[in-house]
Amino acid sequence: MQHNEEADKGLVSNKSADIVVALILIGVGALVVTDSLRLGIGWADDGPKSGYFPFYTGVAIILASLGTIGFTVFGRGKGTGQFVSRGQLTHVLKVFVPSAVYVLLIGFIGIYVASALFIAGFMRWIGRFRWHTIISVSIAVPFALFLMFEIWFKVPLPKGPLESLFGY
């Protein structure tokens, strides 16, 4: 029983999550505003410059995020409670960590080999499939994607050393 009670304890409050997300969005808005100023936010002879609409979008993001922080800090009642429990966070991390590793591996070993490893890892770890099924699917899916993108659609995707051995 103790283990279940621990798993249900909140790690992050709704208030904290709201503030952190609002601060991140303020950063995104500031980046948009800064780059829009670089592009120009005024009017040219043929209409608005490239940064005109993104500038006002960035300002709106910043203002909305500041409003979120204000309501979260000074508002009453709403924002209480937990944002995520230990058990929920564990489930999220079971998907997030392998996905992040997959994205990092694409740059080193290419998308097709990384995809095969990603599929095989998930099928074994989460799905507990038999090895013959894992090997079949983790080879067939990247191969089908290779045929579709590289051969049929002529869309090159990131490749690694294995594809270089085959001349791609």
Side-chain angles (χ1 to χ4, degrees):
M1 262 327 214
Q2 179 120 9
H3 178 64
N4 288 340
E5 288 175 14
E6 253 181 55
D8 289 337
K9 287 183 183 175
L11 293 177
V12 177
S13 70
N14 282 334
K15 230 176 202 181
S16 298
D18 287 347
I19 292 170
V20 168
V21 170
L23 289 172
I24 290 169
L25 288 174
I26 287 172
V28 169
L31 179 65
V32 170
V33 166
T34 302
D35 201 46
S36 297
L37 290 171
R38 182 185 62 81
L39 294 172
I41 61 169
W43 284 85
D45 292 336
D46 58 348
K49 291 185 179 178
S50 299
Y52 181 81
F53 291 109
F55 173 79
Y56 289 105
T57 302
V59 168
I61 290 170
I62 292 170
L63 291 175
S65 299
L66 288 171
T68 298
I69 291 172
F71 283 121
T72 301
V73 172
F74 301 112
R76 293 192 181 144
K78 193 176 180 208
T80 58
Q82 68 180 14
F83 177 71
V84 66
S85 69
R86 289 179 195 266
Q88 292 168 332
L89 184 61
T90 300
H91 290 304
V92 169
L93 290 176
K94 278 185 178 180
V95 174
F96 177 75
V97 171
S99 298
V101 170
Y102 166 67
V103 170
L104 290 174
L105 283 177
I106 289 172
F108 297 103
I109 61 176
I111 195 165
Y112 301 111
V113 175
S115 295
L117 294 173
F118 183 70
I119 291 167
F122 259 97
M123 287 182 73
R124 185 64 188 161
W125 185 36
I126 304 294
R128 304 279 187 226
F129 286 90
R130 295 182 182 157
W131 283 108
H132 68 279
T133 305
I134 293 169
I135 291 168
S136 302
V137 172
S138 65
I139 291 172
V141 170
F143 183 72
L145 292 173
F146 176 81
L147 288 176
M148 185 176 13
F149 285 105
E150 304 284 339
I151 307 299
W152 297 330
F153 296 145
K154 305 282 188 217
V155 175
L157 295 178
K159 292 174 204 60
L162 181 65
E163 293 87 356
S164 296
L165 290 174
F166 294 112
Y168 286 97

